[in-house]
Amino acid sequence: MTGVFIAASAATDAPPRFRRVVELDRPSTEVVSATLRWSAEGIVEASIGGTPASDQLLVPGWTAYERRLRYAEADVASLLSDRFVLGLQLADGWYLGRLGWRGQSRIYGDRGAVFASLRITYRDGHTQTVETDETWEWSEGPIRSADLYDGQTVDATLADDWSSPDGANGAQAIIVSQRDLEPYLAPPVRRIQTIAPQRVWTSPSGETLVDFGQNLVGFVRLRVRGPRSDAIVVRHAEVLERGELATRPLRSARATDRYVLSGDDDVFEPTLTFHGFRYAGITGWPASAPPLEESVEAVVIGSDMRRIGRFSCSDPLLSRLHENVVWSMRGNFIDVPTDCPQRDERLGWTGDIAAFADTASFLFDTHDFLSDWLRDVAIEQDLAGGRIPHVVPDILKYDPAYGGLPATDTAIWGDAAVWVPWTVWRAYGDPDVLQRQFASMTAHAERIAGLLSPTGLWDTGFQFGDWLDPAAPPEDPSAARADPGVVATACAYRTLSTVARAAEVLGEHSERFTHLAERVRGAFRAHYVSEGIVRSDCVTVYALALAFDLLTDADRGRAGGRLAELVAESGYRISTGFAGTPFVLDALADTGHSDVAFRLLMQTESPSWLHPVTLGATTIWERWDSLLSDGTVNPGEMTSFNHYALGAVADFLHRRIAGIAPLTPGYREISIAPLIGGGLTWAEGSLDSPFGTIRVRWELDGDAVRLDADIPPGCTAVIRLPGSEAVRVGSGRHAVTGTAPAQ
């Protein structure tokens, strides 16, 4: 559809609001349906007579605005009266507000604009349409500022009767553009839940602190009555340091909301921004108001994806780790799969989702969310001349220095264009995503082919490599032990072979990509492998070589042994970054070293997955040591406490410990083969597959292991337990017994 966008006719100091008084052509009792569509260059909230038109937040979300802008849609028939105000509140959002870590703003345009179209159908078949045009009026209102990084300011003393048909008049709006619009494919952002304070106290500096007990993404809702014109300030932080809010990790993001009281009962809910926080610092709370703990709550927001996968086990730390992964995914899936939700960044880094897509697509139904984002991947790829940008949507292209990074093709980050659609296909069995993305996938594969050295290796150019290897110094997260050429070449093989398989699924020619993949695998073996030893001889290179099937059978056994040795030499502590972490446990288990895999997984000393849990973490950290053992924050500039990438380990919990994996895309045929060990006495997992819910629970009973499995209608499963033959079963409930391995 095409929409007419209107804007304020003059520069404004505050986010403008727009309205149109609507008189129905027939009495409201004659209305059969009323559909409102709305969008913005910015973010916009629509209302009917002052009542929100929908529970959707941050409309129209963030896309490659240059070519793609979405609209929201809602049934508003129940809100109509014979005469009412259709209102639109604009804010900067991603279109105009600050984005990135280099102080950029107004990246996509110089001013915001709004669109709305209300179509009303009456009982007699008559239709009435109201759309944005020059008959609308605008003014400033109580919302004085709203920025995603810096927060929102509301002055309730400026509240007026703007939402009343007979209310205050504004200036005439102007038409600024017409744009093609498309509906949301991804689920909208909504309020997900509320969390009450767990503790309220006073910090050493005198600030009132509130602990919500969970690192989350959203905002603080206040209900308060106090003296007119008094101000309340709310600051946000993920952790405390020396008893105060630790705001240094926010970098330049102020993450501060300010409210000026009306003198009456006020409810403040800053829905035109969001913050990543566990703790809030509140100043200016009226002495006459009820206690804070009775008047504030945290509102969790996120893209409204359905939760489909669950896991728990006998070890409470491991179960908590899994919940931390869930919370980090929820907080970073706010319209775009971002790296972090709190500091001056919050970008759709392609490397993060490349590492995490398998985990994400088990935990939540990400089919529509990721399919929507992949549309922007293809758009940004085209705008970049075929290269997959480091972030999507790509704001770095508007920075002359490209964020201080080389604007080049990179392994893992660029490979998201191939790995993510393949994951969606495997998880949900829908080939349409492969069909839609196939041109993007093959274009990336051809870019890799053109970057290979005459040797067949991808060993030149900038690479992120094994980003955030724990051995890297805080100031240089790319200084990993793994040779970047080894990492890139291994990833090139995985990408090329995946494109070949996608071509086969779609009935396309796969020979070129099969040939390229085999060339790269041969080069990897010839130049990087000698008698099972992989160049740079560190955990990540073995994990990739084994997980991606790059080695001969003879070298595979030796490499698996060497990997196990290196993990043991590290004291069973993590020594991998973004590249190796998703694959190291599988590489160990698949080469007969599941005992080593479990010791690595269950390690509680730093660096490890469980060490942050022992320190009270409720989300996944960006660094293995984002918080040091002495309670101080890692001195590195990049120190987020809500980064999902290293939580890719949850995929191992689902597939290997619970044992649920697809034998065919979409889980019509299921593998149930739990890995028993690590001192666990039971584990259970479930997945709402496209065919129904798969449930698995196993537990030890002396020397035996008993497994119960529920298989959905129309599906079959192959169940494998230690000490017993594999059995193929149909739908229904099944009980299988095997012999417990020695632990």
Side-chain angles (χ1 to χ4, degrees):
M1 67 174 294
T2 301
V4 174
F5 282 74
I6 61 173
S9 55
T12 62
D13 294 325
R17 54 186 181 169
F18 301 81
R19 77 173 201 162
R20 164 75 185 273
V21 177
V22 179
E23 295 191 15
L24 295 185
D25 292 346
R26 308 280 192 274
S28 59
T29 54
E30 297 295 310
V31 172
V32 173
S33 65
T35 301
L36 176 66
R37 293 174 172 175
W38 70 103
S39 186
E41 292 178 334
I43 55 176
V44 61
E45 293 183 338
S47 61
I48 304 285
T51 300
S54 167
D55 61 357
Q56 298 182 42
L57 302 174
L58 306 175
V59 172
W62 189 13
T63 52
Y65 291 135
E66 301 91 342
R67 294 188 183 175
R68 181 168 176 253
L69 187 64
R70 298 175 301 193
Y71 65 84
E73 182 175 312
D75 177 358
V76 296
S78 63
L79 301 179
L80 302 189
S81 57
D82 291 350
R83 187 166 179 260
F84 61 90
V85 168
L86 173 57
L88 299 170
Q89 173 66 62
L90 179 66
D92 287 350
W94 295 277
Y95 194 90
L96 295 169
R98 289 212 293 143
L99 286 177
W101 61 94
R102 292 167 65 88
Q104 292 176 277
S105 61
R106 298 186 174 268
I107 289 175
Y108 295 101
D110 291 329
R111 65 172 159 188
V114 294
F115 155 78
S117 175
L118 175 61
R119 182 179 176 85
I120 306 164
T121 302
Y122 297 92
R123 188 171 292 122
D124 63 2
H126 174 68
T127 60
Q128 178 182 358
T129 301
V130 179
E131 296 187 334
T132 39
D133 58 24
E134 66 276 6
T135 65
W136 286 57
E137 42 187 18
W138 72 273
S139 77
E140 296 181 358
I143 297 175
R144 307 310 299 162
S145 67
D147 183 86
L148 298 180
Y149 290 0
D150 294 334
Q152 185 166 327
T153 297
V154 180
D155 185 346
T157 66
L158 300 178
D160 56 18
D161 54 0
W162 179 257
S163 296
S164 168
D166 300 315
N169 295 322
Q172 183 176 333
I174 58 172
I175 295 175
V176 292
S177 65
Q178 291 190 18
R179 292 199 58 166
D180 290 334
L181 298 167
E182 63 180 66
Y184 273 71
L185 176 58
V189 177
R190 290 190 169 99
R191 300 168 182 82
I192 303 300
Q193 69 181 93
T194 58
I195 298 178
Q198 303 299 301
R199 180 187 174 210
V200 177
W201 75 104
T202 302
S203 76
S205 68
E207 186 175 27
T208 299
L209 300 183
V210 182
D211 178 8
F212 292 100
Q214 171 65 54
N215 196 18
L216 59 95
V217 177
F219 42 78
V220 175
R221 178 192 290 148
L222 303 178
R223 293 180 174 86
V224 62
R225 184 186 184 103
R228 183 178 176 84
S229 298
D230 275 12
I232 296 175
V233 176
V234 184
R235 302 192 306 139
H236 304 79
E238 295 184 295
V239 296
L240 302 176
E241 190 172 34
R242 300 182 181 89
E244 304 287 353
L245 297 182
T247 57
R248 180 176 62 82
L250 299 176
R251 299 192 300 215
S252 69
R254 291 192 284 273
T256 300
D257 299 322
R258 295 176 174 84
Y259 307 114
V260 178
L261 307 185
S262 69
D264 204 341
D265 292 329
D266 291 318
V267 177
F268 295 109
E269 192 170 13
T271 53
L272 298 172
T273 187
F274 63 87
H275 311 291
F277 66 101
R278 172 175 172 169
Y279 301 94
I282 300 178
T283 56
W285 191 257
S288 59
L292 261 176
E293 51 266 38
E294 300 174 7
S295 308
V296 305
E297 57 189 345
V299 179
V300 180
I301 70 169
S303 288
D304 194 12
M305 301 172 294
R306 182 170 61 94
R307 177 79 183 272
I308 60 173
R310 288 172 170 78
F311 170 87
S312 59
C313 68
S314 58
D315 188 288
L317 291 180
L318 201 58
S319 295
R320 179 66 234 192
L321 172 69
H322 187 269
E323 285 307 297
N324 290 1
V325 177
V326 173
W327 276 99
S328 277
M329 178 178 171
R330 173 65 81 192
N332 279 290
F333 275 55
I334 296 181
D335 205 64
V336 169
T338 56
D339 59 326
C340 62
Q342 74 297 96
R343 68 182 179 222
D344 56 354
E345 193 164 351
R346 314 186 197 186
L347 304 180
W349 287 95
T350 47
D352 295 58
I353 191 60
F356 191 73
D358 287 321
T359 294
S361 296
F362 190 101
L363 293 174
F364 291 88
D365 182 352
T366 64
H367 180 281
D368 291 348
F369 180 94
L370 291 177
S371 295
D372 194 300
W373 179 75
L374 285 166
R375 289 171 63 89
D376 290 316
V377 170
I379 291 170
E380 296 288 12
Q381 179 184 23
D382 185 53
L383 292 172
R387 176 182 56 83
I388 303 298
H390 305 328
V391 297
V392 173
D394 184 18
I395 64 158
L396 300 182
K397 65 178 179 285
Y398 294 107
D399 180 353
Y402 202 71
L405 298 167
T408 59
D409 297 271
T410 54
I412 304 176
W413 278 250
D415 293 326
V418 173
W419 297 5
V420 174
W422 185 254
T423 289
V424 176
W425 152 243
R426 290 282 295 165
Y428 309 114
D430 177 12
D432 287 350
V433 67
L434 293 183
Q435 188 67 63
R436 288 192 301 268
Q437 297 302 129
F438 190 63
S440 170
M441 296 169 73
T442 56
H444 176 60
E446 293 289 1
R447 294 276 295 194
I448 291 176
L451 292 168
L452 298 177
S453 298
T455 58
L457 303 173
W458 192 2
D459 57 356
T460 60
F462 167 77
Q463 294 289 347
F464 288 100
D466 195 25
W467 186 256
L468 286 171
D469 177 333
E475 68 278 4
D476 189 2
S478 66
R481 285 165 282 202
D483 183 307
V486 177
V487 171
T489 304
C491 292
Y493 172 73
R494 188 188 197 214
T495 290
L496 293 167
S497 59
T498 299
V499 172
R501 284 183 287 169
E504 292 171 358
V505 171
L506 298 173
E508 302 284 349
H509 294 294
S510 62
E511 293 81 3
R512 170 166 172 74
F513 301 109
T514 299
H515 172 74
L516 285 169
E518 288 307 314
R519 179 188 173 210
V520 170
R521 180 157 64 172
F524 187 95
R525 292 173 175 176
H527 295 276
Y528 290 150
V529 185
S530 177
E531 297 183 350
I533 301 301
V534 181
R535 179 182 292 187
S536 57
D537 193 34
C538 64
V539 170
T540 285
V541 296
Y542 290 106
L544 298 181
L546 291 164
F548 296 172
D549 193 23
L550 281 155
L551 306 177
T552 65
D553 289 343
D555 282 338
R556 185 174 179 83
R558 289 191 288 265
R562 180 57 180 154
L563 173 60
E565 288 177 3
L566 289 170
V567 172
E569 288 172 6
S570 72
Y572 303 96
R573 292 173 171 82
I574 283 288
S575 53
T576 53
F578 272 38
T581 295
F583 307 107
V584 61
L585 296 180
D586 276 304
L588 288 165
D590 288 343
T591 53
H593 302 285
S594 59
D595 57 331
V596 178
F598 272 112
R599 290 191 66 175
L600 181 62
L601 174 64
M602 307 300 288
Q603 174 64 258
T604 57
E605 298 298 320
S606 182
S608 68
W609 283 288
L610 295 183
H611 182 66
V613 182
T614 67
L615 296 180
T618 60
T619 44
I620 301 299
W621 297 349
E622 179 177 20
R623 297 176 182 269
W624 299 106
D625 59 349
S626 285
L627 191 70
L628 305 182
S629 296
D630 64 1
T632 60
V633 175
N634 186 294
E637 182 185 352
M638 295 178 3
T639 307
S640 159
F641 293 88
N642 197 348
H643 247 71
Y644 58 66
L646 298 179
V649 66
D651 181 50
F652 185 85
L653 306 184
H654 306 147
R655 284 186 302 102
R656 304 306 294 267
I657 296 181
I660 303 172
L663 281 176
T664 58
Y667 292 86
R668 184 177 289 278
E669 295 182 52
I670 309 157
S671 170
I672 297 177
L675 193 64
I676 315 297
L680 300 178
T681 58
W682 63 268
E684 60 185 10
S686 65
L687 175 68
D688 295 341
S689 80
F691 304 100
T693 302
I694 305 163
R695 292 187 179 87
V696 174
R697 177 184 172 90
W698 62 261
E699 56 185 292
L700 299 183
D701 183 9
D703 295 332
V705 55
R706 175 184 172 86
L707 180 143
D708 294 299
D710 291 337
I711 308 303
C715 298
T716 61
V718 176
I719 301 177
R720 296 179 179 86
L721 279 180
S724 64
E725 295 291 326
V727 295
R728 181 176 288 273
V729 299
S731 61
R733 176 161 294 183
H734 304 276
V736 180
T737 302
T739 303
Q743 296 198 51

